[in-house]
Amino acid sequence: MKKSLFAGASLTALVSGHALANEPLTLVLDWYINPDHAPIMVAEQIGAFKAQGLDVKIVPPSDPALPPRMVAARQADLAITYQPQVHFFADEGLPLVRVGTLINSPLNTVIALNKQIKTPADLQGKKVGYSVSGIEQATLSTMAQHAGIDPASIKLFNVNFQLTSALLAGQVDAVIGYRNIEAQELKLQGKTPVVMNVEDYGVPAYDELVIVAHRDAIHEAKIRKFLTALQAGVSYLRAHPQESWEAFAAAHPELKTELNHQAWLQTVPLFATDPAALDKPRYEAYEQFLYNNKLVKKVTPLTNYAVELH
């Protein structure tokens, strides 16, 4: 299946790249390989990187906090990170610039199994679990204010990465989880979760996963070539979601689970059609949101931390 699917694209790569050695580019992921990285993996599978004259090395990090700092230290060309983190890096003065978008929709949701919880207003006096601190307090406070309840009435509990188990065990009334992971995991267990997307309740929309480069490297041709190849990966993925999954599962048999399969299919519509495109008002609104919630010390001009490389 994989050989027949990608033979044509691989031949294109061979013809276009035979005369010159491909230029090396190192991309550090935000986490281990998973369905959130589908367009990258598909671009690699169909030979889109090689067709652009690139030899892309895809590196899962030993520590999720390291990838952007590796780029800042010029130890990698590109890194996958999160839009909120890009604002924090800008506030710190790190020489990092968003050059592309992988997922241009928030993945964060508030998920509940209690039938009495249908909207954020029903979270008053309830316990909400989360896994990684950062923007959760500001997110929940905004949702509470939008619903007209006191944010202080919601109790936050760090359940590490045991979101679904904490919810199923009744340790918390709701969790802040991903719509393409925890929500799907609960459905596979026969549950019917209530899923409240944060952007529907007063939180400014943001790009979940973005690509950052060093400020001094943003005009290097290989970065534009990478984004062109990534766009080809997105296009192929959208046209062949199931076939792409089968090729991914064959290449990474350890990840061939029904949860990953469902996450793959659920995430397809959330990938940026044009990875290079920059929604400037969205970034400026989110910067203001972080400043209003005292999560950054100042409002940093957009041009300091995000560009559109078309």
Side-chain angles (χ1 to χ4, degrees), residues 178-242:
Y178 277 176
R179 62 195 68 176
N180 64 336
I181 300 295
E182 282 78 20
Q184 303 309 314
E185 188 175 8
L186 289 165
K187 289 176 183 177
L188 287 172
Q189 296 196 37
K191 304 299 181 182
T192 306
V194 173
V195 179
M196 295 169 267
N197 295 340
V198 298
E199 69 273 20
D200 294 337
Y201 299 97
V203 178
Y206 56 90
D207 296 344
E208 187 68 42
L209 287 181
V210 299
I211 303 156
V212 292
H214 193 285
R215 181 178 294 123
D216 295 342
I218 59 174
H219 297 299
E220 291 180 3
K222 64 181 178 180
I223 294 178
R224 284 187 174 82
K225 292 177 181 178
F226 175 88
L227 294 172
T228 298
L230 183 60
Q231 186 168 6
V234 173
S235 297
Y236 195 95
L237 172 64
R238 287 233 170 121
H240 309 280
Q242 180 61 28

Side-chain angles (χ1 to χ4, degrees), residues 275-288:
L278 173 65
D279 187 334
K280 295 179 181 179
R282 168 180 284 202
Y283 276 70
E284 290 170 339
Y286 202 80
E287 175 77 7
Q288 191 65 49

Side-chain angles (χ1 to χ4, degrees), residues 117-176:
I117 300 176
K118 297 181 175 66
T119 72
D122 301 321
L123 294 173
Q124 184 163 343
K126 298 295 192 293
K127 296 184 289 187
V128 178
Y130 70 96
S131 58
V132 180
S133 61
I135 59 172
E136 285 74 16
Q137 184 69 58
T139 296
L140 268 181
S141 292
T142 300
M143 294 175 75
Q145 290 164 5
H146 187 271
I149 65 172
D150 181 5
S153 72
I154 303 174
K155 301 173 180 63
L156 272 171
F157 288 86
N158 189 334
V159 296
N160 295 313
F161 292 97
Q162 307 303 315
L163 291 168
T164 53
S165 58
L167 190 57
L168 288 165
Q171 296 170 354
V172 292
D173 301 294
V175 295
I176 300 176

Side-chain angles (χ1 to χ4, degrees), residues 101-117:
T101 297
L102 190 59
I103 296 178
N104 64 357
S105 164
L107 292 182
N108 266 349
T109 55
V110 176
I111 304 171
L113 293 176
N114 185 336
K115 300 302 180 185
Q116 296 179 336
I117 300 176

